[in-house]
Amino acid sequence: MLEAVDECGVKLVDPDRVELVRGALPSDHAIVELADVFSLLGDPGRLRLLSSLLEGGELCVCDLAATSGMSESAVSHALRLLRAHRVVSVSRRGRMAYYRLDDAHVRMLLDLGLTHTGHTVAVHPEHTGPAPEDNQR
């Protein structure tokens, strides 16, 4: 019979550290908001849009459709979700709407994610995409 490796033999090994960590954790509301943002970033189409905005700055829906390979309708839907979570913002000039990353934090999050995937290899045996070095900007 195999013994569980990750099982603790005591309730708390370092109760002072546990209390310190509990006090430093974000609120439940903040955790839910962050999970929502990460779930938005978990979609390849939305990531293509965000990468396009990362590289191109402000772009309109038709240009985002061209850079991402998505339909204008799909782009508009994705942008509504991203805008609702303050990941992108919009400015209007006449009848045209131009989208951009909402702030430097979004840019930093994308940059860090791309840097991370550029020097790591995830364990996805079914994935046959580009090599990790292809993910670098």
Side-chain angles (χ1 to χ4, degrees), residues 24-38:
L25 289 177
S27 69
D28 288 345
H29 177 74
I31 291 291
V32 169
E33 290 287 317
L34 183 60
D36 284 346
V37 169
F38 280 130

Side-chain angles (χ1 to χ4, degrees), residues 8-137:
C8 292
V10 295
K11 282 286 188 197
L12 291 175
V13 174
D14 191 341
D16 293 335
R17 182 174 291 182
V18 168
E19 193 59 34
L20 183 69
V21 169
R22 281 184 179 163
L25 289 177
S27 69
D28 288 345
H29 177 74
I31 291 291
V32 169
E33 290 287 317
L34 183 60
D36 284 346
V37 169
F38 280 130
S39 71
L40 285 171
L41 300 179
D43 177 76
R46 288 190 291 262
L47 280 175
R48 277 188 208 93
L49 293 175
L50 294 172
S51 294
S52 295
L53 294 172
L54 182 65
E55 292 301 324
E58 283 192 334
L59 294 168
C60 67
V61 170
C62 51
D63 289 345
L64 282 166
T67 62
S68 67
M70 298 167 62
S71 70
E72 288 183 24
S73 174
V75 168
S76 291
H77 177 72
L79 289 171
R80 270 192 301 279
L81 290 172
L82 293 165
R83 200 169 153 217
H85 287 85
R86 298 180 322 270
V87 176
V88 300
S89 56
V90 64
S91 63
R92 299 198 184 278
R93 294 183 211 127
R95 295 184 63 192
M96 295 295 294
Y98 291 87
Y99 292 85
R100 66 184 167 281
L101 298 178
D102 191 56
D103 60 28
H105 296 111
V106 175
R107 177 174 294 282
M108 187 179 354
L109 186 59
L110 292 170
D111 278 335
L112 287 172
L114 288 167
T115 299
H116 177 72
T117 58
H119 71 81
T120 61
V121 178
V123 181
H124 293 290
E126 72 282 356
H127 182 68
T128 58
E133 60 271 6
D134 292 341
N135 293 332
Q136 293 185 4
R137 294 182 17 158

